[in-house]
Amino acid sequence: MDITHLLTVDNLIGLLTLTVLEIVLGIDNVIFISILSGKVEESQQRKTRNIGLILALVVRVALLFLISYIIAMKSDLFTVFGHGFSGRDLILLGGGLFLLYKSTTEIHEKVVGEDHQTTDGKKAAVGKVIVQIILLDVVFSFDSILTAVGLSDEIAIMITAVIISMIVMLIFAGKIAAFINTRPTIKMIALSFLMMIGLML
């Protein structure tokens, strides 16, 4: 396959710009994954984080190949009180509500000091945590993919940027998780940040 047409100055600048934006847009995803992975056994936390980020990569690459359908989802499906709702709106709305719910319950547990997680509960929570990560990965990926489309017409450039950004996040996810989970104040700020994102969605 001839890829020399991709190695132009414009495409390389686009790749760099898109990679940086993907990392910035992925920070909220890393924060969410770090907080959720902190609910499982310590020996399983790194594995859970890595699975979450790899699934995020798979979801984003899959959505890139479905980009024509995603763009079509911006068309209104129905109207309520003069406001149109598209398929994308409904997905973001559902994701926002889920993010608000999870952030609120996490803050509640921290404030009242509840700790319902027994050792068996933690072991059983791994699969549940991964399912929650997948659901939010889909939501977080939508804006990321639409941003990619706005910056480049080459799907190879988009996929490369997503892969590079995910590698960077895999490298630093452990340090971010340790920083958040060992500092209750920072964790509360991170949860408040996620609540803000949920409201925006």
Side-chain angles (χ1 to χ4, degrees), residues 36-45 47-48 116-130:
L36 282 182
S37 64
K39 298 177 75 67
V40 303
E41 285 187 30
E42 188 172 350
S43 61
Q44 296 289 326
Q45 289 180 10
K47 176 183 176 181
T48 304
H116 299 301
Q117 293 183 332
T118 62
T119 302
D120 291 338
K122 288 183 178 180
K123 289 180 180 178
V126 175
K128 183 179 178 181
V129 165
I130 290 175

PDB file of all heavy atoms in Angstrom, residues 36-45 47-48 116-130:
ATOM      1  N   LEU A  36     -13.211   4.377  38.568  1.00  0.00           N
ATOM      2  CA  LEU A  36     -13.908   3.092  38.572  1.00  0.00           C
ATOM      3  C   LEU A  36     -12.966   1.936  38.893  1.00  0.00           C
ATOM      4  O   LEU A  36     -13.317   1.027  39.644  1.00  0.00           O
ATOM      5  CB  LEU A  36     -14.572   2.849  37.214  1.00  0.00           C
ATOM      6  CG  LEU A  36     -15.879   3.588  36.921  1.00  0.00           C
ATOM      7  CD1 LEU A  36     -16.421   3.185  35.561  1.00  0.00           C
ATOM      8  CD2 LEU A  36     -16.924   3.309  37.997  1.00  0.00           C
ATOM      9  N   SER A  37     -11.765   1.970  38.319  1.00  0.00           N
ATOM     10  CA  SER A  37     -10.822   0.872  38.563  1.00  0.00           C
ATOM     11  C   SER A  37     -10.367   0.840  40.024  1.00  0.00           C
ATOM     12  O   SER A  37      -9.949  -0.207  40.529  1.00  0.00           O
ATOM     13  CB  SER A  37      -9.602   0.990  37.645  1.00  0.00           C
ATOM     14  OG  SER A  37      -8.867   2.177  37.917  1.00  0.00           O
ATOM     15  N   GLY A  38     -10.475   1.988  40.712  1.00  0.00           N
ATOM     16  CA  GLY A  38     -10.115   2.031  42.121  1.00  0.00           C
ATOM     17  C   GLY A  38     -11.085   1.272  43.003  1.00  0.00           C
ATOM     18  O   GLY A  38     -10.812   1.060  44.194  1.00  0.00           O
ATOM     19  N   LYS A  39     -12.216   0.844  42.446  1.00  0.00           N
ATOM     20  CA  LYS A  39     -13.229   0.119  43.217  1.00  0.00           C
ATOM     21  C   LYS A  39     -12.991  -1.390  43.205  1.00  0.00           C
ATOM     22  O   LYS A  39     -13.713  -2.123  43.878  1.00  0.00           O
ATOM     23  CB  LYS A  39     -14.626   0.435  42.657  1.00  0.00           C
ATOM     24  CG  LYS A  39     -14.991   1.911  42.757  1.00  0.00           C
ATOM     25  CD  LYS A  39     -16.328   2.204  42.124  1.00  0.00           C
ATOM     26  CE  LYS A  39     -17.469   1.737  42.988  1.00  0.00           C
ATOM     27  NZ  LYS A  39     -17.591   2.496  44.242  1.00  0.00           N
ATOM     28  N   VAL A  40     -12.020  -1.848  42.423  1.00  0.00           N
ATOM     29  CA  VAL A  40     -11.732  -3.284  42.397  1.00  0.00           C
ATOM     30  C   VAL A  40     -10.480  -3.563  43.226  1.00  0.00           C
ATOM     31  O   VAL A  40      -9.830  -2.647  43.727  1.00  0.00           O
ATOM     32  CB  VAL A  40     -11.540  -3.784  40.936  1.00  0.00           C
ATOM     33  CG1 VAL A  40     -12.766  -3.469  40.102  1.00  0.00           C
ATOM     34  CG2 VAL A  40     -10.296  -3.174  40.298  1.00  0.00           C
ATOM     35  N   GLU A  41     -10.150  -4.830  43.376  1.00  0.00           N
ATOM     36  CA  GLU A  41      -8.960  -5.189  44.152  1.00  0.00           C
ATOM     37  C   GLU A  41      -7.721  -4.534  43.553  1.00  0.00           C
ATOM     38  O   GLU A  41      -7.602  -4.376  42.346  1.00  0.00           O
ATOM     39  CB  GLU A  41      -8.773  -6.714  44.152  1.00  0.00           C
ATOM     40  CG  GLU A  41      -9.742  -7.445  45.051  1.00  0.00           C
ATOM     41  CD  GLU A  41      -9.387  -8.913  45.143  1.00  0.00           C
ATOM     42  OE1 GLU A  41      -8.188  -9.237  45.026  1.00  0.00           O
ATOM     43  OE2 GLU A  41     -10.292  -9.724  45.336  1.00  0.00           O
ATOM     44  N   GLU A  42      -6.791  -4.170  44.429  1.00  0.00           N
ATOM     45  CA  GLU A  42      -5.585  -3.456  43.981  1.00  0.00           C
ATOM     46  C   GLU A  42      -4.816  -4.250  42.922  1.00  0.00           C
ATOM     47  O   GLU A  42      -4.279  -3.688  41.978  1.00  0.00           O
ATOM     48  CB  GLU A  42      -4.679  -3.171  45.180  1.00  0.00           C
ATOM     49  CG  GLU A  42      -3.512  -2.268  44.832  1.00  0.00           C
ATOM     50  CD  GLU A  42      -2.724  -1.843  46.063  1.00  0.00           C
ATOM     51  OE1 GLU A  42      -3.196  -2.103  47.180  1.00  0.00           O
ATOM     52  OE2 GLU A  42      -1.640  -1.269  45.879  1.00  0.00           O
ATOM     53  N   SER A  43      -4.792  -5.566  43.071  1.00  0.00           N
ATOM     54  CA  SER A  43      -4.068  -6.406  42.108  1.00  0.00           C
ATOM     55  C   SER A  43      -4.725  -6.417  40.727  1.00  0.00           C
ATOM     56  O   SER A  43      -4.100  -6.771  39.733  1.00  0.00           O
ATOM     57  CB  SER A  43      -3.987  -7.842  42.638  1.00  0.00           C
ATOM     58  OG  SER A  43      -5.289  -8.392  42.810  1.00  0.00           O
ATOM     59  N   GLN A  44      -6.025  -6.028  40.666  1.00  0.00           N
ATOM     60  CA  GLN A  44      -6.769  -6.031  39.411  1.00  0.00           C
ATOM     61  C   GLN A  44      -6.894  -4.631  38.790  1.00  0.00           C
ATOM     62  O   GLN A  44      -7.386  -4.498  37.673  1.00  0.00           O
ATOM     63  CB  GLN A  44      -8.184  -6.577  39.657  1.00  0.00           C
ATOM     64  CG  GLN A  44      -8.245  -8.016  40.108  1.00  0.00           C
ATOM     65  CD  GLN A  44      -7.891  -8.989  39.000  1.00  0.00           C
ATOM     66  OE1 GLN A  44      -8.182  -8.742  37.834  1.00  0.00           O
ATOM     67  NE2 GLN A  44      -7.257 -10.088  39.358  1.00  0.00           N
ATOM     68  N   GLN A  45      -6.451  -3.607  39.510  1.00  0.00           N
ATOM     69  CA  GLN A  45      -6.690  -2.238  39.054  1.00  0.00           C
ATOM     70  C   GLN A  45      -5.960  -1.904  37.748  1.00  0.00           C
ATOM     71  O   GLN A  45      -6.545  -1.320  36.835  1.00  0.00           O
ATOM     72  CB  GLN A  45      -6.290  -1.243  40.151  1.00  0.00           C
ATOM     73  CG  GLN A  45      -7.253  -1.253  41.329  1.00  0.00           C
ATOM     74  CD  GLN A  45      -6.861  -0.281  42.415  1.00  0.00           C
ATOM     75  OE1 GLN A  45      -5.975   0.554  42.247  1.00  0.00           O
ATOM     76  NE2 GLN A  45      -7.527  -0.384  43.559  1.00  0.00           N
ATOM     77  N   LYS A  47      -4.910  -3.972  35.447  1.00  0.00           N
ATOM     78  CA  LYS A  47      -5.537  -4.758  34.380  1.00  0.00           C
ATOM     79  C   LYS A  47      -6.850  -4.119  33.942  1.00  0.00           C
ATOM     80  O   LYS A  47      -7.127  -4.004  32.736  1.00  0.00           O
ATOM     81  CB  LYS A  47      -5.781  -6.186  34.875  1.00  0.00           C
ATOM     82  CG  LYS A  47      -6.512  -7.075  33.878  1.00  0.00           C
ATOM     83  CD  LYS A  47      -6.771  -8.447  34.491  1.00  0.00           C
ATOM     84  CE  LYS A  47      -7.586  -9.322  33.554  1.00  0.00           C
ATOM     85  NZ  LYS A  47      -7.871 -10.654  34.149  1.00  0.00           N
ATOM     86  N   THR A  48      -7.663  -3.677  34.914  1.00  0.00           N
ATOM     87  CA  THR A  48      -8.954  -3.061  34.597  1.00  0.00           C
ATOM     88  C   THR A  48      -8.771  -1.765  33.820  1.00  0.00           C
ATOM     89  O   THR A  48      -9.481  -1.499  32.850  1.00  0.00           O
ATOM     90  CB  THR A  48      -9.750  -2.779  35.887  1.00  0.00           C
ATOM     91  OG1 THR A  48      -9.897  -4.012  36.617  1.00  0.00           O
ATOM     92  CG2 THR A  48     -11.132  -2.223  35.575  1.00  0.00           C
ATOM     93  N   HIS A 116     -19.200  -0.277  51.062  1.00  0.00           N
ATOM     94  CA  HIS A 116     -19.940  -1.534  50.931  1.00  0.00           C
ATOM     95  C   HIS A 116     -19.122  -2.615  50.229  1.00  0.00           C
ATOM     96  O   HIS A 116     -19.619  -3.701  49.964  1.00  0.00           O
ATOM     97  CB  HIS A 116     -21.222  -1.306  50.131  1.00  0.00           C
ATOM     98  CG  HIS A 116     -22.135  -0.333  50.803  1.00  0.00           C
ATOM     99  ND1 HIS A 116     -22.639  -0.527  52.058  1.00  0.00           N
ATOM    100  CD2 HIS A 116     -22.626   0.852  50.363  1.00  0.00           C
ATOM    101  CE1 HIS A 116     -23.417   0.495  52.391  1.00  0.00           C
ATOM    102  NE2 HIS A 116     -23.413   1.340  51.393  1.00  0.00           N
ATOM    103  N   GLN A 117     -17.880  -2.287  49.879  1.00  0.00           N
ATOM    104  CA  GLN A 117     -17.125  -3.209  49.042  1.00  0.00           C
ATOM    105  C   GLN A 117     -16.359  -4.212  49.882  1.00  0.00           C
ATOM    106  O   GLN A 117     -15.300  -3.937  50.410  1.00  0.00           O
ATOM    107  CB  GLN A 117     -16.147  -2.432  48.155  1.00  0.00           C
ATOM    108  CG  GLN A 117     -16.850  -1.578  47.117  1.00  0.00           C
ATOM    109  CD  GLN A 117     -15.831  -0.890  46.234  1.00  0.00           C
ATOM    110  OE1 GLN A 117     -14.710  -0.611  46.631  1.00  0.00           O
ATOM    111  NE2 GLN A 117     -16.221  -0.626  45.022  1.00  0.00           N
ATOM    112  N   THR A 118     -16.901  -5.380  50.025  1.00  0.00           N
ATOM    113  CA  THR A 118     -16.181  -6.465  50.675  1.00  0.00           C
ATOM    114  C   THR A 118     -15.200  -7.046  49.677  1.00  0.00           C
ATOM    115  O   THR A 118     -15.189  -6.695  48.510  1.00  0.00           O
ATOM    116  CB  THR A 118     -17.168  -7.563  51.114  1.00  0.00           C
ATOM    117  OG1 THR A 118     -17.809  -8.082  49.948  1.00  0.00           O
ATOM    118  CG2 THR A 118     -18.218  -7.010  52.061  1.00  0.00           C
ATOM    119  N   THR A 119     -14.358  -7.959  50.174  1.00  0.00           N
ATOM    120  CA  THR A 119     -13.388  -8.569  49.263  1.00  0.00           C
ATOM    121  C   THR A 119     -14.089  -9.293  48.128  1.00  0.00           C
ATOM    122  O   THR A 119     -13.719  -9.177  46.963  1.00  0.00           O
ATOM    123  CB  THR A 119     -12.495  -9.565  50.038  1.00  0.00           C
ATOM    124  OG1 THR A 119     -11.842  -8.853  51.094  1.00  0.00           O
ATOM    125  CG2 THR A 119     -11.471 -10.190  49.126  1.00  0.00           C
ATOM    126  N   ASP A 120     -15.138 -10.054  48.439  1.00  0.00           N
ATOM    127  CA  ASP A 120     -15.868 -10.755  47.391  1.00  0.00           C
ATOM    128  C   ASP A 120     -16.531  -9.772  46.454  1.00  0.00           C
ATOM    129  O   ASP A 120     -16.584  -9.974  45.254  1.00  0.00           O
ATOM    130  CB  ASP A 120     -16.931 -11.671  48.013  1.00  0.00           C
ATOM    131  CG  ASP A 120     -16.303 -12.849  48.752  1.00  0.00           C
ATOM    132  OD1 ASP A 120     -15.146 -13.168  48.425  1.00  0.00           O
ATOM    133  OD2 ASP A 120     -16.956 -13.427  49.631  1.00  0.00           O
ATOM    134  N   GLY A 121     -17.038  -8.672  47.012  1.00  0.00           N
ATOM    135  CA  GLY A 121     -17.695  -7.661  46.184  1.00  0.00           C
ATOM    136  C   GLY A 121     -16.737  -7.065  45.184  1.00  0.00           C
ATOM    137  O   GLY A 121     -17.096  -6.811  44.037  1.00  0.00           O
ATOM    138  N   LYS A 122     -15.504  -6.845  45.640  1.00  0.00           N
ATOM    139  CA  LYS A 122     -14.510  -6.262  44.745  1.00  0.00           C
ATOM    140  C   LYS A 122     -14.194  -7.207  43.591  1.00  0.00           C
ATOM    141  O   LYS A 122     -14.069  -6.812  42.454  1.00  0.00           O
ATOM    142  CB  LYS A 122     -13.237  -5.923  45.524  1.00  0.00           C
ATOM    143  CG  LYS A 122     -13.388  -4.722  46.451  1.00  0.00           C
ATOM    144  CD  LYS A 122     -12.074  -4.408  47.141  1.00  0.00           C
ATOM    145  CE  LYS A 122     -12.204  -3.188  48.037  1.00  0.00           C
ATOM    146  NZ  LYS A 122     -10.931  -2.873  48.727  1.00  0.00           N
ATOM    147  N   LYS A 123     -14.074  -8.485  43.908  1.00  0.00           N
ATOM    148  CA  LYS A 123     -13.776  -9.453  42.861  1.00  0.00           C
ATOM    149  C   LYS A 123     -14.909  -9.496  41.842  1.00  0.00           C
ATOM    150  O   LYS A 123     -14.682  -9.536  40.653  1.00  0.00           O
ATOM    151  CB  LYS A 123     -13.561 -10.840  43.472  1.00  0.00           C
ATOM    152  CG  LYS A 123     -12.267 -10.975  44.273  1.00  0.00           C
ATOM    153  CD  LYS A 123     -12.134 -12.370  44.842  1.00  0.00           C
ATOM    154  CE  LYS A 123     -10.839 -12.514  45.642  1.00  0.00           C
ATOM    155  NZ  LYS A 123     -10.708 -13.853  46.249  1.00  0.00           N
ATOM    156  N   ALA A 124     -16.129  -9.467  42.350  1.00  0.00           N
ATOM    157  CA  ALA A 124     -17.287  -9.542  41.463  1.00  0.00           C
ATOM    158  C   ALA A 124     -17.482  -8.257  40.685  1.00  0.00           C
ATOM    159  O   ALA A 124     -18.162  -8.242  39.678  1.00  0.00           O
ATOM    160  CB  ALA A 124     -18.537  -9.838  42.282  1.00  0.00           C
ATOM    161  N   ALA A 125     -16.876  -7.128  41.138  1.00  0.00           N
ATOM    162  CA  ALA A 125     -17.116  -5.830  40.528  1.00  0.00           C
ATOM    163  C   ALA A 125     -16.319  -5.618  39.250  1.00  0.00           C
ATOM    164  O   ALA A 125     -16.623  -4.691  38.502  1.00  0.00           O
ATOM    165  CB  ALA A 125     -16.790  -4.718  41.529  1.00  0.00           C
ATOM    166  N   VAL A 126     -15.304  -6.442  38.986  1.00  0.00           N
ATOM    167  CA  VAL A 126     -14.436  -6.206  37.831  1.00  0.00           C
ATOM    168  C   VAL A 126     -15.229  -6.186  36.529  1.00  0.00           C
ATOM    169  O   VAL A 126     -15.116  -5.255  35.731  1.00  0.00           O
ATOM    170  CB  VAL A 126     -13.314  -7.273  37.749  1.00  0.00           C
ATOM    171  CG1 VAL A 126     -12.495  -7.088  36.483  1.00  0.00           C
ATOM    172  CG2 VAL A 126     -12.420  -7.185  38.969  1.00  0.00           C
ATOM    173  N   GLY A 127     -16.051  -7.217  36.310  1.00  0.00           N
ATOM    174  CA  GLY A 127     -16.853  -7.271  35.088  1.00  0.00           C
ATOM    175  C   GLY A 127     -17.829  -6.112  34.997  1.00  0.00           C
ATOM    176  O   GLY A 127     -18.014  -5.518  33.939  1.00  0.00           O
ATOM    177  N   LYS A 128     -18.437  -5.771  36.125  1.00  0.00           N
ATOM    178  CA  LYS A 128     -19.390  -4.655  36.166  1.00  0.00           C
ATOM    179  C   LYS A 128     -18.705  -3.340  35.822  1.00  0.00           C
ATOM    180  O   LYS A 128     -19.245  -2.508  35.085  1.00  0.00           O
ATOM    181  CB  LYS A 128     -20.025  -4.579  37.553  1.00  0.00           C
ATOM    182  CG  LYS A 128     -21.089  -3.506  37.692  1.00  0.00           C
ATOM    183  CD  LYS A 128     -21.677  -3.522  39.086  1.00  0.00           C
ATOM    184  CE  LYS A 128     -22.715  -2.413  39.257  1.00  0.00           C
ATOM    185  NZ  LYS A 128     -23.285  -2.402  40.631  1.00  0.00           N
ATOM    186  N   VAL A 129     -17.500  -3.158  36.360  1.00  0.00           N
ATOM    187  CA  VAL A 129     -16.734  -1.937  36.086  1.00  0.00           C
ATOM    188  C   VAL A 129     -16.395  -1.838  34.600  1.00  0.00           C
ATOM    189  O   VAL A 129     -16.517  -0.772  33.986  1.00  0.00           O
ATOM    190  CB  VAL A 129     -15.445  -1.912  36.943  1.00  0.00           C
ATOM    191  CG1 VAL A 129     -14.471  -0.863  36.423  1.00  0.00           C
ATOM    192  CG2 VAL A 129     -15.788  -1.628  38.394  1.00  0.00           C
ATOM    193  N   ILE A 130     -15.989  -2.942  34.001  1.00  0.00           N
ATOM    194  CA  ILE A 130     -15.635  -2.935  32.579  1.00  0.00           C
ATOM    195  C   ILE A 130     -16.847  -2.600  31.707  1.00  0.00           C
ATOM    196  O   ILE A 130     -16.737  -1.856  30.735  1.00  0.00           O
ATOM    197  CB  ILE A 130     -15.020  -4.293  32.178  1.00  0.00           C
ATOM    198  CG1 ILE A 130     -13.637  -4.444  32.821  1.00  0.00           C
ATOM    199  CG2 ILE A 130     -14.902  -4.402  30.653  1.00  0.00           C
ATOM    200  CD1 ILE A 130     -12.991  -5.780  32.603  1.00  0.00           C
TER     201      ILE A 130
END
